[in-house]
Amino acid sequence: SEKLQKYQKGINHLQEEIKSLKQQNFELQKEWKLYQANIKRVAFETLSNIDQKCFYMKMEIIPVPAPTEDSQRLRALFLGLGCVGKTAIIKRCLYDEEFNDYDPTLFERYTFRTFADKSTMLEFHLDDTSGCEEYEVMQENWMKGPTVFVLVYDVTYEDSFREVRKLLKRVRRINNFEEVILYLVGNKTDLAERRAIPFQVAEKFAKENKFTAHFEMSAITGDNSENFFQHLVRTLTNKALEISSAKSKKSKKFLGLF
């Protein structure tokens, strides 16, 4: 009987241990769920503001773009002479990284997503294009249908600003002279001692040609890159919501016929 009592005590002790472990496991599960909820809350509070960069970014490198109808509307096309820093600007804006290596671009698409509100997530493309003359035919294909055109010049290089004037004419011709959203961006302000294009000259050109905005920045130092990117994201977001609203109204009008 003493042995039985010892065994019974051992069993009771094990049962208490099991009960205690179950309680600990339950508490850990509660803490884990609370931790996950807090992570989601903090992430949303940080990322739902469209002035924040983006909550998810990926880079897709494709040799020839084949955008869908919707993605074609929601993309910014970066144009400019080779070496003006189009790739460096995009990488600075998206990843806040300094990009010094020059590797001539044919076509690269950078995709990012952002929240417009609690329930609406938007996806945009930033299309980086070649500035070489031999790809002019391909450039004209890329110029058909973007939401925004970003024309980039080097503030230290006059030829790059002359190229912007040529690109503007081509963009308007290819888009049948319809109203398009235009940004003018002067890069390499960190090379102030070598400046060849005064800010006032570029600003006047932007106003005369109805650009949405004109920015000067440095992709190397990051100076003013955030202001440019926030403005661009707001423009893309507003355009996306405008398209969505127009589709919704059209759908309601169609349903009203029945």
Side-chain angles (χ1 to χ4, degrees):
S1 62
E2 289 181 0
K3 285 185 177 181
L4 285 173
Q5 287 179 353
K6 285 182 179 180
Y7 286 141
Q8 189 62 47
K9 284 182 179 180
I11 290 170
N12 291 340
H13 179 72
L14 286 172
Q15 287 177 337
E16 289 296 322
E17 286 289 327
I18 290 169
K19 187 177 179 181
S20 176
L21 287 171
K22 284 182 177 179
Q23 183 63 30
Q24 289 178 32
N25 182 52
F26 176 75
E27 293 297 329
L28 285 172
Q29 285 182 339
K30 277 179 64 178
E31 288 181 15
W32 174 244
K33 287 179 180 179
L34 184 62
Y35 173 78
Q36 287 181 314
N38 283 333
I39 287 291
K40 289 178 181 178
R41 178 182 58 80
V42 171
F44 179 74
E45 288 175 356
T46 303
L47 302 167
S48 60
N49 186 338
I50 62 170
D51 283 345
Q52 295 290 330
K53 294 275 180 85
C54 46
F55 85 99
Y56 172 79
M57 293 175 288
K58 64 179 180 178
M59 181 178 72
E60 297 174 1
I61 301 178
I62 52 178
V64 179
T68 64
E69 184 181 356
D70 285 337
S71 66
Q72 197 172 26
R73 290 191 185 120
L74 304 177
R75 63 190 179 101
L77 185 70
F78 284 68
L79 297 166
L81 209 58
C83 295
V84 296
K86 299 184 294 294
T87 304
I89 288 172
I90 293 173
K91 291 193 173 183
R92 171 61 74 178
C93 289
L94 286 179
Y95 311 119
D96 197 23
E97 291 179 353
E98 182 179 335
F99 182 74
N100 285 315
D101 299 330
Y102 178 65
D103 184 14
T105 302
L106 175 55
F107 181 94
E108 291 185 16
R109 168 161 291 168
Y110 299 80
T111 302
F112 74 96
R113 294 171 182 164
T114 186
F115 284 109
D117 53 44
K118 289 185 179 181
S119 60
T120 307
M121 186 174 65
L122 303 172
E123 181 175 280
F124 303 121
H125 303 308
L126 304 183
D127 290 347
D128 185 12
T129 64
S130 171
C132 300
E133 289 184 8
E134 53 264 40
Y135 298 121
E136 278 192 8
V137 175
M138 296 181 72
Q139 276 182 347
E140 295 200 354
N141 183 48
W142 299 329
M143 288 180 188
K144 296 174 183 176
T147 312
V148 175
F149 293 89
V150 182
L151 306 189
V152 183
Y153 66 97
D154 176 349
V155 300
T156 72
Y157 189 32
E158 291 184 5
D159 282 354
S160 69
F161 194 68
R162 282 192 282 270
E163 180 67 14
V164 161
R165 295 177 185 274
K166 294 177 185 177
L167 286 168
L168 178 60
K169 291 178 181 178
R170 289 174 62 202
V171 164
R172 285 183 166 154
R173 174 177 56 80
I174 291 166
N175 288 276
N176 299 316
F177 298 94
E178 294 179 2
E179 187 176 339
V180 293
I181 301 173
L182 296 161
Y183 276 75
L184 182 63
V185 177
N187 189 29
K188 305 188 184 181
T189 55
D190 53 293
L191 303 176
E193 71 284 356
R194 291 165 51 188
R195 178 184 281 271
I197 314 298
F199 176 83
Q200 294 79 1
V201 171
E203 183 73 5
K204 182 181 177 183
F205 171 77
K207 288 179 178 178
E208 288 176 347
N209 290 281
K210 298 181 180 179
F211 278 73
T212 298
H214 167 224
F215 287 90
E216 283 192 346
M217 61 172 288
S218 170
I220 295 296
T221 65
D223 182 48
N224 211 35
S225 62
E226 188 171 353
N227 289 333
F228 160 64
F229 190 59
Q230 287 180 357
H231 198 289
L232 178 63
V233 170
R234 279 196 296 269
T235 298
L236 286 166
T237 299
N238 290 339
K239 193 65 178 176
L241 296 177
E242 181 185 319
I243 291 170
S244 177
S245 177
K247 283 184 176 180
S248 178
K249 288 179 181 177
K250 188 175 181 180
S251 176
K252 288 178 180 178
K253 187 176 180 180
F254 176 77
L255 291 172
L257 297 174
F258 295 92

